[in-house]
Amino acid sequence: MPCRGSRPAPVMSEVVLHIGAFKTGTTYIQESLFVNQSRLRDLGVLVPGNRWTDQAAAARALIARGDGDLGREPDAWDHLADECRRWTGSSAVISMEFLAGLGASKVEAAVTSLQPGPITVVLGARDLLGLLPAQWQTSIRGGGRVWTFGEYAAGVTSTRPRRSEAGRHFWRRHDWPAIARRW
């Protein structure tokens, strides 16, 4: 029981990190968050940044960091995290599928930067039958390695998919148990 005249410690806002995965409806969620950003703010929910591209830039900055970048200048991720930590409403939501692919040290950096409040991580999933052509199409549109759909599907579904470039491309983004373990 608090002493008479003392104030209770401030309750830190919860940060909800929606980390993807790719092709699981993330664009719809992100568009909905930013279209309703003002209304959400009125309800005590912060969607940090002015636009989705601000959250994308923050995730890219975090990805680009070297491990142990001591003494570096604050980057876009630091600014986004600071906005979340300063928020006095009930929660803040960051939605960026690029975060699903972070390695353990970057996951730790992301989580540490958002503390001391509670953090909830949300990882979306989708049926593999619908996911496979969607991820293939995105890989083609992205201008990287070009596979036929047959080559891509064969690489992804082989008994040793990580031995093929197509399999590595797909499972790096959709090995949900591995992503969940890192987060």
Side-chain angles (χ1 to χ4, degrees):
M1 175 176 246
C3 298
R4 181 173 248 188
S6 68
R7 291 188 201 189
V11 176
M12 299 302 298
S13 299
E14 174 186 27
V15 176
V16 176
L17 275 174
H18 173 240
I19 62 169
F22 287 93
K23 310 313 297 175
T24 60
T26 55
T27 301
Y28 176 78
I29 292 167
Q30 293 154 354
E31 287 175 354
S32 296
L33 287 168
F34 280 94
V35 162
N36 293 293
Q37 189 176 30
S38 178
R39 178 152 166 66
L40 288 166
R41 182 179 282 272
D42 292 345
L43 295 170
V45 178
L46 172 70
V47 180
N50 294 318
R51 297 173 302 285
W52 170 85
T53 55
D54 295 334
Q55 291 194 10
R60 286 187 182 103
L62 182 61
I63 291 164
R65 288 183 187 175
D67 289 335
D69 270 355
L70 300 175
R72 65 175 173 70
E73 292 294 317
D75 60 22
W77 179 264
D78 294 318
H79 296 299
L80 199 77
D82 185 55
E83 189 177 351
C84 291
R85 285 191 312 273
R86 287 184 288 118
W87 179 245
T88 58
S90 63
S91 57
V93 180
I94 298 171
S95 178
M96 181 45 54
E97 61 272 26
F98 303 165
L99 298 174
L102 293 180
S105 65
K106 303 265 175 95
V107 167
E108 184 178 341
V111 169
T112 300
S113 71
L114 296 167
Q115 290 176 334
I119 299 169
T120 299
V121 177
V122 177
L123 174 61
R126 176 179 174 184
D127 69 291
L128 292 176
L129 188 59
L131 183 59
L132 183 63
Q135 188 63 63
W136 169 74
Q137 181 183 32
T138 297
S139 74
I140 300 302
R141 213 176 45 231
R145 168 82 161 75
V146 178
W147 298 279
T148 67
F149 181 70
E151 290 169 334
Y152 194 73
V156 169
T157 60
S158 73
T159 56
R160 301 218 175 205
R162 295 195 196 288
R163 288 189 176 175
S164 75
E165 191 178 348
R168 283 190 302 276
H169 177 270
F170 183 86
W171 291 111
R172 185 173 45 241
R173 290 159 179 77
H174 300 290
D175 185 347
W176 303 317
I179 293 166
R181 280 190 298 274
R182 283 194 308 273
W183 278 94

